[in-house]
Amino acid sequence: GVEEPEQGIMKQPPRSKTNRVMDISMLIRLLAVGLTMALLALVAYVFTLYRGGWHYGQFLAGNNPLYFQATATVYLTLVFCQVANVFSIRTGKFRLRNLLTNRWLIFGEIISFAMLFTIFYWPPFQNIFKVLPPRPGAWIFASTSFFVFLGLSEWLEKKLSGLKRLG
């Protein structure tokens, strides 16, 4: 209830009574979102391990600082992807000019990042969550994943709108 209405929304015809709220395009989008986030998180994890000197096949103990950094990088990437997801599903099409129009959403994202920084940089939470601060390269990768996710979301939305027209 706090999102501004889309322009022209009342000029669009209502959804048919026979259309389901959860249709095949929604299921495809959910699957694509999950797979995209999983792939980006996996790449972030492996990227962090390799940058830290790990090699495929090498044992990595659960208490290794590199493992703590890699899991933090995964969490960081997932947060950036979730932020991108929220902005991409607000109106069905991401527009940069709409980025700052919902102050409650912005407030929520600020809280999310404050929690993220607290977990990564405050030692009591580092111990609880078993993380270490991500390296600068991880921050660059995670912020890039925001734009990769938005791009894939836009592309998928175009493909699914074509599917809706056919169905």
Side-chain angles (χ1 to χ4, degrees):
V2 296
E3 188 73 51
E4 291 290 322
E6 289 183 55
Q7 285 186 329
I9 192 74
M10 296 305 289
K11 294 178 182 172
Q12 295 178 9
R15 181 177 56 86
S16 170
K17 290 180 183 180
T18 59
N19 287 359
R20 298 175 183 226
V21 174
M22 180 74 80
D23 60 2
I24 189 69
S25 65
M26 174 73 78
L27 292 173
I28 291 170
R29 187 185 192 295
L30 288 172
L31 180 64
V33 163
L35 289 174
T36 302
M37 286 184 188
L39 180 65
L40 288 169
L42 180 63
V43 169
Y45 183 77
V46 173
F47 170 78
T48 303
L49 291 179
Y50 273 105
R51 295 281 297 174
W54 177 85
H55 299 287
Y56 180 75
Q58 181 181 355
F59 176 75
L60 186 67
N63 62 353
N64 187 318
L66 182 58
Y67 173 75
F68 293 161
Q69 236 176 12
T71 56
T73 304
V74 166
Y75 182 54
L76 179 65
T77 302
L78 290 173
V79 167
F80 270 96
C81 285
Q82 281 294 355
V83 170
N85 189 37
V86 164
F87 286 119
S88 71
I89 63 172
R90 283 180 60 203
T91 62
K93 182 171 174 68
F94 177 78
R95 291 181 183 86
L96 196 56
R97 68 177 181 268
N98 293 342
L99 192 61
L100 302 175
T101 58
N102 185 331
R103 64 182 165 175
W104 290 105
L105 180 60
I106 298 301
F107 179 69
E109 298 306 340
I110 289 170
I111 296 295
S112 293
F113 280 100
M115 290 170 54
L116 189 71
F117 277 94
T118 303
I119 290 169
F120 289 164
Y121 296 102
W122 195 37
F125 279 166
Q126 287 177 339
N127 292 333
I128 291 169
F129 290 97
K130 304 290 186 218
V131 295
L132 286 174
R135 292 181 177 174
W139 283 94
I140 292 168
F141 178 84
S143 57
T144 303
S145 70
F146 175 89
F147 297 104
V148 169
F149 189 91
L150 282 179
L152 288 173
S153 187
E154 285 288 320
W155 176 81
L156 182 64
E157 194 61 38
K158 287 178 185 174
K159 294 294 181 189
L160 291 178
S161 66
L163 179 69
K164 286 181 181 178
R165 283 193 298 270
L166 293 175

